[in-house]
Amino acid sequence: MPEAMERTTPLHAVHEELGATFTDFAGWQMPVRYSSDLAEHRAVREHAGIFDLSHMGEIELVGPGAGEALDRALAGKLSGISEGRAKYSLMLTEDGGIVDDLIVYRLGEQRFLVVANASNADVVAEQLRERSAGLDVEVDDRSADVALIAVQGPASADIVTRALVGARTGVSVQEIAELKYYRVLAGTFEGEELLVARTGYTGEDGFELYVPSSHARALWDTVVAAGGAELTPCGLASRDTLRLEAGMPLYGHELGRDTLPAQAGMGRIVALTSKGDFVGRAAVEASDPSGRPVLVGLVAEGRRAGRAGARVRDAQGQDLGEITSGVLSPTLGHPIAMAYLDRSASAEGTEVVIDVRGKDLPATVAALPFYRRS
């Protein structure tokens, strides 16, 4: 077996028991589906799905200089968030490109948790150490010790409440009911720390549960028992179509080291006015994104979808750019895509043509997200 397929999560045996099909994702052997992509996608939109996201990176910063270290390392003002809150941010290169997009939780006055994409976890941990040099902070990459289980969908709050209250985690019904989006609260699961975050990547209400890897199986079983028929195990394939409908960018597709935040519609995340210097600031301030392609949404009719890499043209055949993610939307029933297009073609309503394996597919530039829960 190649080395790239050797990393498995603490829940690998669960996935095998459920008959999952696996794929290599950033060196991890991850479940791509258990039954069908469409059934798992719909389960999340209509009820709830449970995902193993233990391949994600968790890096903890502890110490008096933790907030300052994050302000220096990332593009947002992280020292300003209050305890129990989370913030979406970016790590930039010196040239202003995107190293990773990540979520930062403030767990205490001097304690933060950074959650990075699996493919970038090692780089983010290394960069956090380098960029916090000279500050009174300890950077601890806990990725191998922490499991992450996500429960997403309209029934997720009821399921998580039943599971966590029933397991005597110290988390109350009222606390879960009052937990707002991008907030986190702490409890215990079988004597170990449990973090309950109301975050997700599907466009639905949902929770992300952090627990020591040694307790991942027990927590998974507890949640599954509480969910019953309302909860469906879901793989990475449905997670990708869910996030695409929700208009959420994915590192390696919409985000990368050659991408400036403004191109991806993330200029507001870069804190140029609310804090001092940080890695990438000078490059962002000096950059002129007006000549670069920008991220747009595309919608089309029919059943054929333009996939990543498909070229986009205007009616006269002039090349405008390239699709980064595309799918036949399971919820909306028509093709959707995200693409980087020439700025002249980025206005909503602009008509374009997608090259789908040599055949023209008429499409229209549309606002993101494609799907918004009611």
Side-chain angles (χ1 to χ4, degrees):
M1 179 180 293
E3 184 178 352
M5 292 288 285
E6 289 184 348
R7 301 185 77 179
T8 58
T9 77
L11 293 166
H12 188 73
V14 175
H15 307 319
E16 288 185 321
E17 292 166 14
L18 291 171
T21 301
F22 291 92
T23 187
D24 176 20
F25 185 88
W28 292 81
Q29 198 173 4
M30 297 298 296
V32 65
R33 68 183 62 83
Y34 301 86
S35 55
S36 81
D37 301 348
L38 183 60
E40 293 169 21
H41 182 107
R42 287 178 173 168
V44 174
R45 290 281 182 252
E46 296 170 2
H47 302 287
I50 182 169
F51 299 82
D52 175 16
L53 305 180
S54 301
H55 60 319
M56 302 285 282
E58 292 86 12
I59 303 111
E60 196 168 283
L61 283 80
V62 180
E68 183 179 353
L70 288 170
D71 283 351
R72 181 192 297 177
L74 305 181
K77 186 173 175 57
L78 287 311
S79 62
I81 62 175
S82 54
E83 291 184 33
R85 294 202 174 196
K87 189 169 186 174
Y88 181 78
S89 190
L90 299 171
M91 174 177 278
L92 303 181
T93 67
E94 292 281 1
D95 297 331
I98 299 172
V99 176
D100 200 17
D101 63 322
L102 30 76
I103 295 178
V104 180
Y105 297 95
R106 188 161 199 165
L107 304 179
E109 176 61 27
Q110 300 179 4
R111 183 186 179 206
F112 295 80
L113 180 67
V114 177
V115 179
N117 284 298
S119 58
N120 292 324
D122 292 342
V123 173
V124 169
E126 179 183 351
Q127 286 297 310
L128 286 172
R129 292 191 186 95
E130 289 185 8
R131 298 179 185 191
S132 61
L135 298 174
D136 188 4
V137 58
E138 181 178 343
V139 180
D140 184 13
D141 184 357
R142 301 186 58 208
S143 302
D145 303 322
V146 176
L148 171 55
I149 296 171
V151 183
Q152 299 281 302
S156 61
D158 289 341
I159 293 169
V160 167
T161 300
R162 289 197 296 270
L164 300 189
V165 173
R168 299 182 180 180
T169 59
V171 177
S172 69
V173 173
Q174 183 175 357
E175 285 178 312
I176 296 175
E178 294 178 350
L179 187 65
K180 296 181 179 178
Y181 191 51
Y182 264 60
R183 303 288 198 278
V184 61
L185 58 88
T188 59
F189 181 76
E190 298 185 346
E192 299 289 341
E193 183 180 46
L194 168 72
L195 297 178
V196 182
R198 201 157 200 162
T199 48
Y201 196 54
T202 63
E204 296 294 340
D205 185 18
F207 297 82
E208 295 186 319
L209 311 175
Y210 298 84
V211 70
S213 297
S214 58
H215 289 63
R217 175 65 188 255
L219 180 60
W220 176 283
D221 290 344
T222 297
V223 176
V224 167
E230 287 186 302
L231 188 65
T232 301
C234 296
L236 295 186
S238 60
R239 189 168 185 255
D240 190 55
T241 53
L242 289 160
R243 72 92 191 166
L244 180 51
E245 286 184 344
M248 296 180 175
L250 175 65
Y251 191 89
H253 286 250
E254 285 74 41
L255 306 178
R257 288 174 175 260
D258 296 330
T259 307
L260 295 174
Q263 291 181 255
M266 294 181 167
R268 68 188 185 284
I269 296 173
V270 182
L272 294 177
T273 60
S274 61
K275 70 170 188 175
D277 197 19
F278 57 89
V279 176
R281 175 176 186 129
V284 170
E285 288 182 316
S287 67
D288 178 11
S290 62
R292 292 178 175 238
V294 295
L295 186 65
V296 303
L298 296 176
V299 297
E301 297 181 354
R303 309 294 292 176
R304 292 185 303 150
R307 304 293 182 176
R311 303 303 304 180
V312 181
R313 307 188 308 269
D314 64 15
Q316 289 71 44
Q318 181 179 349
D319 189 75
L320 298 174
E322 181 177 294
I323 286 180
T324 50
S325 300
V327 69
L328 176 61
S329 167
T331 304
L332 304 174
H334 59 74
I336 59 173
M338 287 195 277
Y340 274 101
L341 299 188
D342 187 276
R343 190 172 295 270
S344 64
S346 63
E348 187 176 340
T350 302
E351 295 183 353
V352 298
V353 176
I354 302 172
D355 184 341
V356 182
R357 295 185 294 277
K359 296 183 178 180
D360 288 348
L361 175 66
T364 304
V365 175
L368 296 172
F370 303 107
Y371 166 85
R372 193 185 300 274
R373 66 186 170 93
S374 56

